[in-house]
Amino acid sequence: MSKSTSMTTVLLRRSRSPLIAGFLASVALLAQGVPLSLPTAGHNPVRWGAAAWAQGINVSPDEIMGYARSVLEMEEPRTTAYNEIRALLTGTNVDINSISLRCTDTNSLNQLPRNLRSNVRTIVVNYCNQASQIVQANGLRNERFDAITAAYPQNDTLAEQIRAALMQIQQQSQTAPVPSN
């Protein structure tokens, strides 16, 4: 195993699942008419049995706001990474939806043509690192983000609280004064 391959492996193992959670998100919420992808438990492997207690999870208002801010802040890097990978796959027989782009599950990258694996892996690792920083900057541990991601599809109240927080953040950003130069 080369030094760069082992470094990538280390980075991928250190990366947490929320880092790519939004990457393949399948639940779209409409907040202010803008489609937004939220992570789903199916695309966000949860560690330490979080799925088992996800339905009974208690999430504070601060955690809900941190979660919502994280999801919103992850959207641009997620979209950028997805588009970069899709562009790399253009002209190949590989459908982007046929491979797992989760930080914790890179085995399916082995089905990519050899000349693309490293580039795709680099994009995934970069996104994972960005997303981890976003989650932590918003006051959550990666594991807590995972637990909330696993809980909200099963908990209508939590899902509604997250939707409300997303809308509140988006409304605040739309009404915030634009700094003058």
Side-chain angles (χ1 to χ4, degrees):
M1 177 157 50
S2 73
K3 186 175 183 175
S4 66
T5 302
S6 80
M7 181 57 138
T8 300
T9 303
V10 167
L11 286 171
L12 288 169
R13 286 186 183 146
R14 287 187 184 164
S15 300
R16 300 286 188 217
S17 55
L19 316 173
I20 204 78
F23 210 74
L24 295 175
S26 62
V27 175
L29 295 176
L30 297 176
Q32 296 297 93
V34 178
L36 175 71
S37 296
L38 278 179
T40 61
H43 295 292
N44 187 32
V46 180
R47 293 176 192 27
W48 302 300
W53 57 268
Q55 199 147 3
I57 189 173
N58 290 320
V59 183
S60 74
D62 287 343
E63 289 176 317
I64 290 169
M65 289 304 288
Y67 184 88
R69 278 192 303 273
S70 295
V71 169
L72 287 170
E73 291 173 26
M74 278 187 226
E75 187 63 16
E76 185 179 335
R78 181 198 69 80
T79 301
T80 299
Y82 182 86
N83 289 336
E84 288 174 1
I85 292 170
R86 188 175 58 192
L88 285 172
L89 296 179
T90 300
T92 69
N93 292 330
V94 180
D95 176 12
I96 194 167
N97 297 315
S98 70
I99 57 174
S100 171
L101 299 174
R102 291 180 276 163
C103 295
T104 58
D105 179 18
T106 59
N107 290 334
S108 68
L109 297 181
N110 293 333
Q111 72 181 345
L112 293 172
R114 283 188 186 273
N115 61 330
L116 297 177
R117 283 183 208 156
S118 177
N119 292 337
V120 170
R121 189 169 272 122
T122 297
I123 293 168
V124 170
V125 168
N126 288 339
Y127 172 75
C128 291
N129 290 334
Q130 279 184 297
S132 177
Q133 291 169 357
I134 289 168
V135 167
Q136 292 171 18
N138 284 301
L140 295 172
R141 292 181 338 273
N142 294 324
E143 295 82 5
R144 186 64 173 165
F145 185 94
D146 284 347
I148 295 169
T149 298
Y152 87 81
Q154 304 164 22
N155 184 326
D156 292 339
T157 302
L158 178 59
E160 183 53 40
Q161 291 170 335
I162 292 170
R163 276 191 285 279
L166 289 166
M167 289 174 50
Q168 178 183 351
I169 293 166
Q170 289 184 328
Q171 287 171 347
Q172 288 171 348
S173 69
Q174 290 173 354
T175 60
V178 178
S180 59
N181 290 338

